[in-house]
Amino acid sequence: MKKWIFFLAVLYFMPVVSHAEDFLGAPLIPERTIIKKTAARLEMKTGLSHDEVVAFYEKALKNFENIKFRNWKNATYIEDDGKMPWHSITVSKGGDRGTKITIVKDNWTWIIGTLILRYIGVFMVLMILLICMFVSGQIISRSVGRVQTKKAGN
C-alpha cells in the first residue's frame, strides 16, 4: 500500500513522469501539432475548438494569481503580469480550420518599451496641462486688466 501511495505521489508531483509537457512553464495542450518552435516562441495548431483550448488553459492556470484572460474579436489573449518566463498565450479563433496557439517568452524589449511609452505619456500629459494653464492664465490676466481699466476710466 505504501508503495502505491509513493508511486501516485511521484506521478502527481513530477510532471516529467506524468507526461505533462510545457514551454517556458506554460502548459501545452496534448492534442497539438507544432508549427514553429524557437527559444522565445512556440506556435502550434490543434483540432480542438477555441472554447475547448481556452477551457484547458483556464483550468491549467487557475492557481496562478497574475494571469489575465482577454477576449478579443479574433483571439483570446492570456497574459502573465507576474514573474513567469512566458509573457502571453494567444489562442486564435480559427473556426473549422482548427485553433492556433502561440506562446511568447517574456523579454526585456517589451518591458522597456512599455516603460518608455509610460514615461513619454506622463510628460505629454504634463506638457498639455502646462499649455492649458498658460492659456487660462493669459485669458484671466487680460480679462482682469480690462476690468481694472474700466474701473479706472469711470
Side-chain angles (χ1 to χ4, degrees), residues 20-28 36-44 57 61 64 67 80 82-89 102-107:
E21 295 182 70
D22 68 0
F23 176 73
L24 300 172
L28 299 180
K36 181 181 177 184
K37 183 175 182 180
T38 64
R41 183 181 188 91
L42 173 67
E43 294 179 16
M44 55 189 163
Y57 280 109
L61 301 172
F64 299 101
I67 306 296
D80 171 51
K83 56 185 175 183
M84 301 294 285
W86 56 274
H87 170 66
S88 67
I89 301 171
T102 306
I103 302 173
V104 179
K105 180 180 179 181
D106 204 2
N107 59 26

Side-chain angles (χ1 to χ4, degrees), residues 49-112:
S49 71
H50 171 267
D51 295 334
E52 290 172 324
V53 175
V54 171
F56 168 80
Y57 280 109
E58 284 177 344
K59 182 180 177 186
L61 301 172
K62 69 180 177 183
N63 294 329
F64 299 101
E65 59 187 55
N66 294 319
I67 306 296
K68 293 183 182 170
F69 285 79
R70 295 189 175 115
N71 291 316
W72 294 341
K73 182 180 177 182
N74 297 326
T76 298
Y77 187 73
I78 306 166
E79 184 178 23
D80 171 51
D81 291 336
K83 56 185 175 183
M84 301 294 285
W86 56 274
H87 170 66
S88 67
I89 301 171
T90 305
V91 181
S92 301
K93 295 178 181 174
D96 296 335
R97 300 175 309 217
T99 305
K100 183 178 176 186
I101 306 160
T102 306
I103 302 173
V104 179
K105 180 180 179 181
D106 204 2
N107 59 26
W108 282 101
T109 305
W110 180 83
I111 295 168
I112 298 298

